Amino acid sequence: MKGYAMLEINKAGWVEKPKPVAGPLDAIVRPVAVAVCTSDTHTLHGGAGDLKNRILGHEAVGIVDEVGSEVKRIKPGDLVVVNCVTPDWSALSVQEPNENCSHDHGPLASFKFLFQKDGVFAEYFHVNYADANLAILPEGVSVEDALMTTDMMSTAFHGVENAEIKYGDTVVVYGIGPVGLMAIAGAALAGAGRIIGIGTRENCAKLAREYGATDIISYKDGDIPTQIKELCGGLVDKVILAGGTCDCIDDSLKMVKPNGIISNIVFFDPSETVSFPATDWHLGMGNVTIKSGFCPGGARRIERLLELIKHGRVKPGKMLNYRFEGLESIPEAVKVMDEKPRDLIKPYVYIGDK
Amino acid sequence: MKGYAMLEINKAGWVEKPKPVAGPLDAIVRPVAVAVCTSDTHTLHGGAGDLKNRILGHEAVGIVDEVGSEVKRIKPGDLVVVNCVTPDWSALSVQEPNENCSHDHGPLASFKFLFQKDGVFAEYFHVNYADANLAILPEGVSVEDALMTTDMMSTAFHGVENAEIKYGDTVVVYGIGPVGLMAIAGAALAGAGRIIGIGTRENCAKLAREYGATDIISYKDGDIPTQIKELCGGLVDKVILAGGTCDCIDDSLKMVKPNGIISNIVFFDPSETVSFPATDWHLGMGNVTIKSGFCPGGARRIERLLELIKHGRVKPGKMLNYRFEGLESIPEAVKVMDEKPRDLIKPYVYIGDK
Amino acid sequence: MKGYAMLEINKAGWVEKPKPVAGPLDAIVRPVAVAVCTSDTHTLHGGAGDLKNRILGHEAVGIVDEVGSEVKRIKPGDLVVVNCVTPDWSALSVQEPNENCSHDHGPLASFKFLFQKDGVFAEYFHVNYADANLAILPEGVSVEDALMTTDMMSTAFHGVENAEIKYGDTVVVYGIGPVGLMAIAGAALAGAGRIIGIGTRENCAKLAREYGATDIISYKDGDIPTQIKELCGGLVDKVILAGGTCDCIDDSLKMVKPNGIISNIVFFDPSETVSFPATDWHLGMGNVTIKSGFCPGGARRIERLLELIKHGRVKPGKMLNYRFEGLESIPEAVKVMDEKPRDLIKPYVYIGDK
Amino acid sequence: MKGYAMLEINKAGWVEKPKPVAGPLDAIVRPVAVAVCTSDTHTLHGGAGDLKNRILGHEAVGIVDEVGSEVKRIKPGDLVVVNCVTPDWSALSVQEPNENCSHDHGPLASFKFLFQKDGVFAEYFHVNYADANLAILPEGVSVEDALMTTDMMSTAFHGVENAEIKYGDTVVVYGIGPVGLMAIAGAALAGAGRIIGIGTRENCAKLAREYGATDIISYKDGDIPTQIKELCGGLVDKVILAGGTCDCIDDSLKMVKPNGIISNIVFFDPSETVSFPATDWHLGMGNVTIKSGFCPGGARRIERLLELIKHGRVKPGKMLNYRFEGLESIPEAVKVMDEKPRDLIKPYVYIGDK
């Protein structure tokens, strides 16, 4: 079969590989639609080292082609939504009482596509623990909306979960790209009052307001903490980092209340350093919590997000404003993500279910 | 009345001031026993600026001398234990659902003794919201044990609460001074399995084991994260910072599991900076939480800690290994705390209840 | 001053009483708008015993007439929203770590209007702990919307908080009267997916859908658990009881999943008994939790709910479909609540701010 | 192989069956020690219907005899501790965010031994999801102590977890049999202050005090709620039901504070009914929560409990005061459990590791 791979750092191209084989618990899936993520282009540029000939992609809706001998719930022909986090459910760490089902054998170890094995930009891809990791696409949910649950919505909503929103909280969301947009939608669905998005792109700002943002501010208009404090007449309850660099953590400390939470869902670059003066953290005495996130794995997570879509709470597919068709257009979609034209929100490739 | 005050930075001495006056909700209290804290000496050396003629001290058990017109539960003559954190209970922030009752009008605003008004090293001291902030010393609890609830135990146990210990957790406690010792005791009482204290003083190490530490390691024997990983054969669940500098946060990140918690209860110096490479924080993706703490204010907090003592769960008074007698010996006790002889754990002054 | 009181069981009328007096922490408030609650008529019919000459009413927006000597934040002339739960904030139970700020000196002890002192259906009423219990009406929120925060929205949203909604939960709400309607709105704002209201009144059903219900079912169409299981193809995650009798608890057990929560916010009649076979509770082994609720007291609670209104998340004032004008029309409003015409949702009296 | 089975209701005996076969994820285990539980004798008397020829027993430590092709962590020869709850980790319900890992395909569905397949009173027994459900016995933990983690300690500690103990809580534990004793130990390890056990057997009362009970009261001395209120001078924070009938729930409501929790871990008889007047539940308005429990499944749970034993926090093996030797003595051990001599705490059979 063919797949679109990172050939070496900064060079992508088609590769020919054997069709993957299903072990007793696994499934082989054909993609129906895939989306491109900045993690794909970041990896291509060497973010995870030189993963020679590694097939890219980790956001997919697909059709099950075959399943292993021990797979019971999932059947060939099922139209499935694939959580980008696919734990090994025999690992003990997924049993932890404070676990969010995302770490199996260590940090990020359950983010297998792309980092540990071939991804979804191929004729077929392999899914471990198929019964536990594949959700059936329910009636009434489009492929596009479903596709946005696999990473964007799951990641962003996890950032909101970590922020422990209470009714009426004022929430700042750094970034109004696809993850930030979904963080805004998730915060509104979690009971936030005022939601302030930070960003500059016009079409993103418009969509942010549709998803529930009450205000949009831009770093172009001055120092962010100063702007926030003026706008709100004081400090805010929660900050969700869905964009920006490690420096945003110090900024966040300057604008969040005692007992506040800073919830990070940005995948930082290995070259970055988090740094902030103890004074901004109330000398370690202000009950300000800094959390990092990694979205929960497994099918049940996706089922829950699909329920929100099915019942009209959110329409994440609206973010997909660059559509391509056919497996062969994957390189073009990856290129768009890499070049990031000013009006891009999120690109995807519709391959079809035949 | 006389009080022992910071006259100027680095200079302490007795001052003569009018006896404080009780407003409608307040009480005036005579100290029966007071303990000296590093916060007192740190303040004396300018840690909170030049607080001229500010009476020092914030850990006290006392006898109520008079109460205001609206005080109902507390009566003159009551032997009371004084939480070092005394919120204004009409402030709205103490009503927050995620509040720990310690912030009233801003970070640290409810730490009033020493920072906002005269402290307890005097013939009399003033307590706001007396009904809400004073706990009655119950039968069966010694003045010494009770004295240790007011800050040491409350602060340390809050660090443990923030660490969200689950049964069998492996917990590292930085520091085996009085706060670290109480964090060890608190972790054992919260269900920790292995508890590793970090420190070097022999009598502290001995007491740490009595309070529940299973291992004591020293920074003198090499890099702490390396020692911990060798000892445990892997990463730990929680780290409580009850000693050390901001650098311990990066060390903690190196030894804590994904989904782990780092809980800080050190009062950092304003000159310090928290700094760690994103890689140690799993690039912001490991669900590792960093919390800061400030112990809950109010009488109910102290009542709960007194219950633990009364029912034999912990004996915090054992830490008081330097005893002085009489109000006039306060300068000597402060001096000992400042000089920190190698065998010092915690000094106190017994004034008496006459 | 005059007030509309329960003269004896089943008999209401105007009484003349001295204007209430403000203690040091209190405020005296003139009502601008008041709403009638079933608790008022239930009390009138003897639900809380024979409270002779007790002025009725506990839902109010008003103008502060005077304040006590220790009141600092609230000032005469302020337009305030009055939480129907007004704790004594010097009581220790409001400091409990698992406390929701609603119990001061025992169960329901902080529900003072009506049960412990005169209510709000008068020219003036008394509010204890004014700084802590009165919220300022913010710009951009109507008196009507604000009036609905004082009990209906606070009670209902507490029922939702107790239900610990997770994204995508299927939630059943018993009752589509004002509390049920707000429970539906609150569940949608807490991330529920499918929300099923149980009720029969047409205008309520219509409003329920506006507030976020996806389905409405009626007890007239058969056994509720059977209907729910057919509709959902299985069990549900949470049940909120905002209407009905104690028998609904057994019904709820029949439709809720293991690990599910039943959250009650109905004020049951003292004559009722909760009863269910152990088999419906999985023999005590299914991790099914039954909670009862009483909404949090204090101003901060109301401020949070007002934030939701101000930022367009919910419009609770829509429920006020019977409007009366002038203090003198209170008897008529009480009568409407007592007679419950088929199209009644919630009656209120607009008195005005002069 | 031979096994000791329920032949029909009220009749037990040896049966001869084929040695169980390991599927790809399973293990076959030889028991080294087994304990008898009231669930075994309750089942024998028809509590779960007429399970003809079903081999009894669900508490075991054993040696792995063989493993399936997909099993990686567990190896033949490993000395393992077997959680009595062995979920199918591909089931979606174990992924739920509010899940305690104990329900896979429905209430109690993961309690497979005895109820769904042959138990552990045999030469060999079958364990599903071996990697996820078997814990390795660590050095420094005796077989006896480990044996008590599999059900007694896990069940009891779960009851404590559900009670959400805070430092200094007053906790009542109904029952001082093995589960009650472990609930007392667990409450002490969770930070409880006063712990009151309810029971009458002398050796149990003695052990209860060793495990942390501060008081023991007996139903023989009068009404329990009255005794508790006299002893404590008021209401208690939490009640854990580890013995008794459904009637204890009403009793518990009479003695627990507003915001209190009643945590049940009794396996009630299908013939029982829970019933209490609404008045005892503060008319559904007191924020009193009633929880039911079923202990978490999987190996990690057991590892955590073993950590507590290894580090000296608790010695559950002390409860095993009736020892038998050899597989052939299982009938005698079952008989003892059925007859419950007055000094019985918990019986076990040591089979040996040859």
Side-chain angles (χ1 to χ4, degrees), chain D residues 80-235:
Chain D
V80 291
V81 189
V82 189
N83 194 324
C84 73
V85 176
T86 52
D88 163 6
W89 292 90
S90 280
L92 297 198
S93 61
V94 300
Q95 301 179 17
E96 288 287 9
N98 57 331
E99 166 66 41
N100 72 352
C101 309
S102 59
H103 301 283
D104 53 13
H105 297 286
L108 299 171
S110 60
F111 194 15
K112 300 190 194 306
F113 295 125
L114 188 62
F115 290 113
Q116 296 184 34
K117 67 176 183 185
D118 281 331
V120 303
F121 293 168
E123 288 180 89
Y124 298 97
F125 59 89
H126 169 273
V127 178
N128 59 313
Y129 276 74
D131 272 341
N133 286 325
L134 293 173
I136 305 285
L137 183 74
E139 263 185 77
V141 177
S142 73
V143 165
E144 283 78 6
D145 278 327
L147 185 58
M148 287 300 89
T149 64
T150 63
D151 181 352
M152 298 300 95
M153 198 174 159
S154 182
T155 291
F157 277 45
H158 184 54
V160 181
E161 290 163 334
N162 273 352
E164 298 175 21
I165 308 284
K166 311 293 177 198
Y167 285 127
D169 267 356
T170 295
V171 178
V172 171
V173 177
Y174 266 85
I176 54 173
V179 174
L181 288 169
M182 284 298 99
I184 287 166
L189 285 175
R194 187 169 214 165
I195 302 175
I196 305 159
I198 301 176
T200 56
R201 295 180 177 222
E202 258 179 52
N203 59 346
C204 288
K206 187 165 170 292
L207 200 47
R209 288 182 189 276
E210 274 187 52
Y211 282 138
T214 54
D215 309 82
I216 303 289
I217 65 172
S218 163
Y219 63 90
K220 294 181 179 169
D221 296 328
D223 177 63
I224 293 292
T226 306
Q227 286 189 69
I228 292 287
K229 282 184 278 188
E230 275 175 24
L231 186 67
C232 300
L235 303 171

Side-chain angles (χ1 to χ4, degrees), chain D residues 9-332:
Chain D
I9 291 178
N10 292 326
K11 189 168 173 195
W14 290 102
V15 292
E16 189 67 33
K17 293 199 175 187
K19 184 180 165 185
V21 175
L25 295 159
D26 309 333
I28 305 304
V29 179
R30 266 188 303 132
V32 166
V34 297
V36 189
C37 178
T38 49
S39 305
D40 294 309
T41 52
H42 189 74
T43 300
L44 178 57
H45 295 307
D50 190 358
L51 306 174
K52 277 192 201 312
N53 298 324
R54 176 66 52 82
I55 294 173
L56 297 168
H58 57 275
E59 301 183 42
V61 169
I63 287 178
V64 176
D65 188 66
E66 62 169 284
V67 299
S69 60
E70 302 299 305
V71 176
K72 290 164 193 163
R73 189 175 63 88
I74 297 296
K75 294 183 172 33
D78 283 346
L79 186 52
V80 291
V81 189
V82 189
N83 194 324
C84 73
V85 176
T86 52
D88 163 6
W89 292 90
S90 280
L92 297 198
S93 61
V94 300
Q95 301 179 17
E96 288 287 9
N98 57 331
E99 166 66 41
N100 72 352
C101 309
S102 59
H103 301 283
D104 53 13
H105 297 286
L108 299 171
S110 60
F111 194 15
K112 300 190 194 306
F113 295 125
L114 188 62
F115 290 113
Q116 296 184 34
K117 67 176 183 185
D118 281 331
V120 303
F121 293 168
E123 288 180 89
Y124 298 97
F125 59 89
H126 169 273
V127 178
N128 59 313
Y129 276 74
D131 272 341
N133 286 325
L134 293 173
I136 305 285
L137 183 74
E139 263 185 77
V141 177
S142 73
V143 165
E144 283 78 6
D145 278 327
L147 185 58
M148 287 300 89
T149 64
T150 63
D151 181 352
M152 298 300 95
M153 198 174 159
S154 182
T155 291
F157 277 45
H158 184 54
V160 181
E161 290 163 334
N162 273 352
E164 298 175 21
I165 308 284
K166 311 293 177 198
Y167 285 127
D169 267 356
T170 295
V171 178
V172 171
V173 177
Y174 266 85
I176 54 173
V179 174
L181 288 169
M182 284 298 99
I184 287 166
L189 285 175
R194 187 169 214 165
I195 302 175
I196 305 159
I198 301 176
T200 56
R201 295 180 177 222
E202 258 179 52
N203 59 346
C204 288
K206 187 165 170 292
L207 200 47
R209 288 182 189 276
E210 274 187 52
Y211 282 138
T214 54
D215 309 82
I216 303 289
I217 65 172
S218 163
Y219 63 90
K220 294 181 179 169
D221 296 328
D223 177 63
I224 293 292
T226 306
Q227 286 189 69
I228 292 287
K229 282 184 278 188
E230 275 175 24
L231 186 67
C232 300
L235 303 171
V236 303
D237 297 289
K238 310 288 167 59
V239 182
I240 299 171
L241 299 179
T245 66
C246 281
D247 292 345
C248 300
I249 291 177
D250 187 17
D251 268 11
S252 300
L253 288 168
K254 287 173 181 153
M255 61 173 98
V256 79
K257 289 182 189 170
N259 289 312
I261 296 175
I262 298 167
S263 168
N264 178 64
I265 40 176
V266 177
F267 209 129
F268 290 121
D269 193 83
S271 66
E272 289 189 78
T273 294
V274 176
S275 181
F276 50 83
T279 47
D280 287 346
W281 201 34
H282 307 308
L283 305 176
M285 285 285 124
N287 290 300
V288 172
T289 294
I290 305 170
K291 294 191 185 183
S292 70
F294 182 48
C295 60
R300 188 65 191 113
R301 171 70 171 183
I302 297 299
E303 285 185 353
R304 286 182 161 276
L305 301 176
L306 293 168
E307 278 289 297
L308 290 173
I309 295 166
K310 184 171 176 177
H311 296 291
R313 310 294 178 197
V314 61
K315 295 223 167 299
K318 279 186 173 180
M319 302 190 298
L320 291 167
N321 70 339
Y322 271 65
R323 177 183 166 112
F324 299 89
E325 293 197 14
L327 192 68
E328 65 282 3
S329 62
I330 284 177
E332 205 178 344

